[in-house]
Amino acid sequence: MTAPSQQKLKINGSAVVTANRLGDGAVVYRAAVGGWTTRLDAAAIVGTAAEASALLTEANADERQAVAAYVAPVALSGGHIEPANLRERIRLAGPTFALPASFGI
Amino acid sequence: MYVYDDFDRTLVAERVADFRDQVARRLAGELTEDEFKPLRLMNGVYLQLHAYMLRVAVPYGTLSSRQLRTLARIGRRYDRHYGHFTTRQNLQFNWIKLSDLPDAMAELAEAGLHGMQTSGNCVRNITTDQWAGVAPDEIEDPRVWAEILRRHSTLHPEFTFLPRKFKIAVTAAKRDRAAVRVHDIGLRLHKNAAGEAGFEVIVGGGLGRTPFIGKTIKPFLPKRDLLSYVEAILRVYNQYGRRDNIYKARIKILVHELGAEKFASEVEAEWLTIKDGALAIDPALVTAIASHFRYPRYAPLVDNPPELARARGNDAAFDTWFRNAVARHKAAGYAIVTLSLKPEGGPPGDATSDQMDAVADLADRYSAGEIRVGHEQNLVLPHVAQRDLHALWQALDAIGVATPNVGLVSDIISCPGLDYCSLANTRSIPVAQELTRRFRDLAAQRELGRLHINISGCINACGHHHVGHIGILGVEKNGEEFYQITLGGRADEEAELGALVGPAVPYAEVADMVEDVVAAYRELRAGPQELFIDTVKRIGVEPFKERVYAAR
């Protein structure tokens, strides 16, 4: 019901800042090197509310490139990064079923 | 078919030009997102999980073949070769780029299509019976009145910034196929004892977080007073509706808190000050607007022609489809044909661009170039000669829209859910897909009879779960998807809200749960002729609860 961008900032573990690219709405992440990236493994990772807040502020100031930024949880394991909830898994990988044109109905 | 005039064309073209300028300024950084967002929403452009989504209005659910081809082309050129027909008779493109939207909208405008009144706190696209103008049980074509309301509301300054979105539905038939009792305003055109036609005005219905069945505040409103009375309702709503709390902002909350009687008296007082003014409807206006609706010249045909009888006798699959998807037409020798967009394993309401083109071609050949969209997320060909039904069926079957499951358990209404929607908590479409697989046996479906499943991926209830015979609502619990099941809802003339059958179940169990509910129905029904909804009405949900939770 409430979009993540409208929720209070809470950090419980590692997180990234994600948004949608202005021109096409594609899912992007605030990059470790600055700017935005479509690759989660290139995202800047934060671990505290203060870090997340600072990264979010930076992201929101760049709304010419991406919009509706918010903090999303991630799971780190053996140097690998993954979305930590279903919503973010779907944002990263797309719908969980084959799109209509691809199964020929 | 509604035929656009110069005013319509100019309005839509000007809106495209405005939007093109707004997009350019946004991309150039001259508009902030806060400034741009309300502008894009006024044109039906949302930002969803993966991309922008464009919602295209299909006023009163009527499309020409040219318009459907335009939608197919937009899907092919700017999206991913498909579109999604919604529970409000609209069509959504899920993958469109902001930078492409002005061009896409310009192409839509050439066919008289747009995204106005599909978003924002305005009077939304006005919906009606998908069989309007051809249903034998209607007293007249309700689309004329939907169009009068559309014209009045599109640019009305008082209706542009309402406390919340506002949905109006109109029906003129005995059977309510437009769900008028679950709309902000429902209008039921009927005749009084003197034989005059007028409107029953129902207010304050709606689903979402706080569902209500609408209350009748005017049993009979003369046609001439429709605009003034609707305006009075909207003025009272505009004055008293809550703007401080989005969850209490819909008119249903106001009607509930004031009480229908008090609300009606407020409307009446406002109405008396305006009813004989400029909003009184001149019959000449009605005639003029009605003239924009063109009907085919029906040939002098007879019902059940020999070709049809022969085909039904010779082809069992055709006969099965005929019994399921073909309805009686007001003109002898013609039929209303429903095209199922609910194939086994398919996302409910989705149609590929190729399917849209093919349906447009078939509409030209068999249905006077006209297509309808129903709130059940199926399409309709409204003017098919019965002698052509067998040939049409073969063509529909070839493109995957002749599954004979209309109104049956696999004809599932579903919102896009968490696979697309930024508001959703849980997925809807995969639940629907799994259910269509569980109930793939069409003979078994027919034996069950009419049974509507509605699925929503969050409390906003775009899948109308409250009024599903079986309603499924997705809720998130500690990051996991759970689903509540309600029974006994219905959206027709006997509209009811479903009752919760018990605790929510996890994603992996929801299809099992629905199968158990259906199995319980088989045990509990008074006989094969008693429909699911009638069994629930007769015995309530408790006997279902005892059975389906016994093993859980």
Side-chain angles (χ1 to χ4, degrees):
Chain A
M1 173 69 212
T2 307
S5 58
Q6 298 170 318
Q7 292 169 355
K8 287 181 182 173
L9 185 56
K10 286 190 288 188
I11 293 289
N12 184 16
S14 301
V16 297
V17 167
T18 184
N20 292 86
R21 195 159 57 197
L22 176 64
D24 62 4
V27 174
V28 289
Y29 304 93
R30 196 67 188 165
V33 295
W36 297 94
T37 176
T38 55
R39 289 173 43 199
L40 180 58
D41 60 5
I45 298 167
V46 294
T48 68
E51 289 173 354
S53 182
L55 192 62
L56 188 58
T57 301
E58 180 188 305
N60 283 330
D62 193 18
E63 67 159 24
R64 175 106 180 256
Q65 302 299 321
V67 296
Y70 62 93
V71 175
V74 291
L76 301 175
S77 173
H80 190 65
I81 180 170
E82 288 182 352
N85 63 37
L86 177 61
R87 175 194 175 90
E88 294 307 323
R89 285 197 292 278
I90 290 173
R91 286 183 77 243
L92 181 65
T96 59
F97 49 85
L99 300 186
S102 61
F103 65 95
I105 64 168
Chain B
M1 181 56 58
Y2 179 73
V3 180
Y4 275 68
D5 62 14
D6 286 343
F7 184 88
D8 298 317
R9 283 188 284 273
T10 302
L11 169 65
V12 175
E14 287 179 353
R15 182 59 75 91
V16 172
D18 286 347
F19 191 65
R20 188 181 293 282
D21 178 59
Q22 290 155 1
V23 170
R25 288 157 63 204
R26 176 69 187 102
L27 292 173
E30 295 166 15
L31 289 176
T32 66
E33 186 61 15
D34 283 347
E35 291 166 333
F36 179 66
K37 186 176 175 181
L39 300 173
R40 68 167 161 78
L41 288 175
M42 288 175 84
N43 291 289
V45 179
Y46 289 74
L47 182 58
Q48 295 287 34
L49 286 189
H50 317 283
Y52 290 95
M53 179 269 277
L54 172 63
R55 185 177 291 155
V56 181
V58 182
Y60 26 86
T62 299
L63 282 171
S64 68
S65 56
R66 179 182 172 220
Q67 289 175 319
L68 189 56
R69 280 193 197 93
T70 299
L71 293 170
R73 191 175 69 242
I74 299 288
R76 202 173 276 124
R77 187 172 291 174
Y78 301 108
D79 207 271
R80 296 193 180 181
H81 296 245
Y82 71 98
H84 173 74
F85 289 99
T86 77
T87 52
R88 297 214 74 252
Q89 299 180 303
N90 294 320
L91 179 123
Q92 294 179 179
F93 291 113
N94 289 307
W95 302 95
I96 203 154
K97 296 175 180 173
L98 181 62
S99 47
D100 283 339
L101 272 162
D103 288 341
M105 283 187 182
E107 291 185 36
L108 289 170
E110 285 174 17
L113 292 165
H114 55 80
M116 284 183 271
Q117 293 180 280
T118 64
S119 176
N121 295 336
C122 62
V123 175
R124 296 291 188 89
N125 185 34
I126 293 157
T127 56
T128 189
D129 187 345
Q130 67 270 30
W131 295 359
V134 294
D137 66 336
E138 74 177 13
I139 61 169
E140 61 181 86
D141 191 336
R143 293 174 302 167
V144 174
W145 299 97
E147 175 59 15
I148 289 171
L149 287 164
R150 185 199 68 77
R151 289 183 177 210
H152 188 61
S153 60
T154 297
L155 297 177
H156 197 309
E158 281 185 48
F159 303 163
T160 305
F161 299 101
L162 295 167
R164 197 77 177 86
K165 60 188 170 184
F166 202 91
K167 299 174 181 177
I168 301 175
V170 193
T171 184
K174 284 183 184 158
R175 281 290 308 276
D176 178 6
R177 287 173 288 266
V180 299
R181 293 183 189 279
V182 287
H183 280 75
D184 295 290
I185 295 178
L187 299 166
R188 187 178 71 85
L189 196 54
H190 64 110
K191 288 185 176 173
N192 65 9
E196 301 158 328
F199 295 95
E200 177 187 0
V201 182
I202 302 150
V203 176
L207 303 173
R209 178 177 295 262
T210 316
F212 287 107
I213 301 297
K215 318 288 190 301
T216 298
I217 62 167
K218 196 85 172 168
F220 188 85
L221 178 75
K223 290 169 162 183
R224 75 178 283 277
D225 296 323
L226 179 65
L227 287 182
S228 59
Y229 198 79
V230 167
E231 178 126 337
I233 292 170
L234 279 156
R235 283 188 176 177
V236 170
Y237 173 50
N238 234 341
Q239 183 171 2
Y240 296 115
R242 298 270 301 259
R243 293 174 190 272
D244 61 322
N245 184 338
I246 192 173
Y247 304 124
K248 297 187 175 181
R250 295 290 290 269
I251 195 173
K252 61 190 174 184
I253 304 295
L254 179 65
V255 172
H256 177 70
E257 291 186 349
L258 275 183
E261 208 169 301
K262 169 71 173 161
F263 181 85
S265 71
E266 293 280 348
V267 170
E268 199 78 10
E270 179 65 31
W271 181 50
L272 289 175
T273 69
I274 59 174
K275 71 187 284 278
D276 296 319
L279 294 179
I281 297 174
D282 182 344
L285 170 77
V286 181
T287 303
I289 290 182
S291 73
H292 285 258
F293 289 90
R294 306 276 165 79
Y295 300 91
R297 284 188 191 154
Y298 297 115
L301 302 176
V302 294
D303 282 331
N304 198 25
E307 304 96 310
L308 174 62
R310 217 169 21 247
R312 290 184 63 191
N314 294 340
D315 190 333
F318 168 67
D319 185 58
T320 297
W321 173 81
F322 175 88
R323 289 169 186 272
N324 175 258
V326 177
R328 203 158 65 82
H329 195 284
K330 71 178 183 184
Y334 283 82
I336 304 167
V337 175
T338 299
L339 282 53
S340 171
L341 297 182
K342 317 290 177 65
E344 181 188 327
D350 280 6
T352 65
S353 289
D354 288 350
Q355 285 177 318
M356 287 188 242
D357 274 338
V359 170
D361 290 347
L362 293 171
D364 281 341
R365 182 184 283 187
Y366 296 114
S367 182
E370 190 171 329
I371 303 101
R372 305 288 180 82
V373 185
H375 83 270
E376 297 91 348
Q377 302 176 285
N378 289 319
L379 299 179
V380 169
L381 295 179
H383 311 290
V384 180
Q386 293 173 17
R387 64 187 177 198
D388 294 333
L389 283 167
H390 188 251
L392 173 64
W393 167 72
Q394 290 174 303
L396 295 175
D397 193 43
I399 60 169
V401 296
T403 308
N405 63 349
V406 175
L408 303 181
V409 67
S410 66
D411 183 6
I412 296 169
I413 292 175
S414 171
C415 73
L418 188 57
D419 285 288
Y420 292 106
C421 177
S422 63
L423 296 178
N425 294 324
T426 66
R427 289 171 290 166
S428 302
I429 291 171
V431 175
Q433 290 174 307
E434 176 60 16
L435 286 170
T436 65
R437 295 183 192 106
R438 299 288 182 101
F439 292 103
R440 63 159 57 95
D441 183 338
L442 286 161
Q445 289 191 50
R446 286 194 295 280
E447 195 276 328
L448 287 173
R450 181 167 282 272
L451 206 177
H452 298 170
I453 296 179
N454 292 41
I455 309 174
S456 301
C458 79
I459 196 68
N460 289 312
C462 294
H464 301 176
H465 63 276
H466 298 292
V467 289
H469 297 175
I470 299 175
I472 302 174
L473 166 64
V475 294
E476 182 193 327
K477 288 186 180 179
N478 300 321
E480 300 295 323
E481 298 170 288
F482 278 74
Y483 294 83
Q484 296 176 350
I485 311 284
T486 53
L487 305 181
R490 61 197 299 175
D492 59 11
E493 59 281 359
E494 297 179 57
E496 289 281 350
L497 302 174
L500 194 62
V501 72
V505 295
Y507 177 84
E509 292 179 28
V510 66
D512 293 343
M513 177 85 166
V514 172
E515 281 194 309
D516 290 349
V517 166
V518 171
Y521 155 64
R522 286 178 188 277
E523 291 175 22
L524 293 163
R525 65 186 176 184
Q529 300 309 312
E530 186 177 64
L531 296 176
F532 179 90
I533 190 67
D534 295 327
T535 301
V536 179
K537 186 175 181 180
R538 178 172 57 81
I539 63 175
V541 301
E542 276 304 315
F544 287 89
K545 182 177 182 176
E546 287 166 12
R547 281 167 171 74
V548 299
Y549 284 97
R552 287 186 165 84

